[in-house]
Amino acid sequence: MALPKLTPKQARFVHEYLADLNATQAAIRAGYKEKNAYQVGSENLRKPQIQQALQEAREAREKASMITAEWVLKEISKIAENEEEAARDRLKALELIGKHLGMWEKRQDEDAQSVKVTFEAEMEAWSE
């Protein structure tokens, strides 16, 4: 796969974003104006060439470190299943696995949708 064409600022943004996954701060550190950093960071994350560069950088880092999502999940699972671990450590491990599986996000989306549907139904009833 060919490396994406990035401007020097975009390349720096990719590097900085991988440091802390904060698009606004990455934009500032990459040299974009602070007053526009939130917008620029958000826009950069939607650009296909930056998405590709981020993916390639993550893959390279994963390959170099040999730490993959699968490995992390296995290690977290070991903690969650080890009865000799402190309860808070086991709970945190289970929470991380749940986040990875999207368990909490799905629930929040379902709750938000439920509130929206209920609210819209009530608004309809009031307008009749």
Side-chain angles (χ1 to χ4, degrees):
M1 183 178 289
L3 289 175
K5 298 279 185 183
L6 300 177
T7 67
K9 274 188 182 178
Q10 288 173 332
R12 183 71 182 172
F13 173 83
V14 168
H15 175 78
E16 294 296 340
Y17 180 75
L18 290 170
D20 61 7
L21 304 180
N22 183 318
T24 301
Q25 291 303 310
I28 292 168
R29 292 189 305 264
Y32 293 96
K33 293 181 181 175
E34 192 166 340
K35 70 178 187 171
N36 301 328
Y38 177 83
Q39 181 179 349
V40 169
S42 178
E43 289 172 0
N44 275 351
L45 290 178
R46 290 192 302 269
K47 292 179 179 177
Q49 69 272 24
I50 290 180
Q51 290 176 357
Q52 181 183 350
L54 286 168
Q55 181 62 33
E56 290 174 8
R58 284 185 189 112
E59 288 171 1
R61 182 170 56 186
E62 184 177 292
K63 186 176 180 179
S65 69
M66 296 179 54
I67 296 176
T68 64
E70 182 180 348
W71 179 86
V72 171
L73 283 174
K74 284 180 183 177
E75 293 301 308
I76 293 172
S77 294
K78 288 178 189 176
I79 293 168
E81 293 170 356
N82 184 353
E83 293 182 14
E84 294 178 11
E85 292 283 345
R88 72 175 187 280
D89 294 336
R90 293 180 68 204
L91 182 59
K92 182 63 178 178
L94 290 169
E95 177 187 349
L96 290 170
I97 292 169
K99 282 183 180 179
H100 173 74
L101 295 174
M103 293 171 67
W104 320 139
E105 292 157 10
K106 184 177 180 185
R107 176 74 180 160
Q108 288 174 350
D109 290 345
E110 289 172 356
D111 288 347
Q113 184 62 30
S114 174
V115 169
K116 180 180 176 189
V117 169
T118 303
F119 178 74
E120 288 173 350
E122 288 179 14
M123 291 300 290
E124 272 185 41
W126 288 347
S127 64
E128 292 177 350

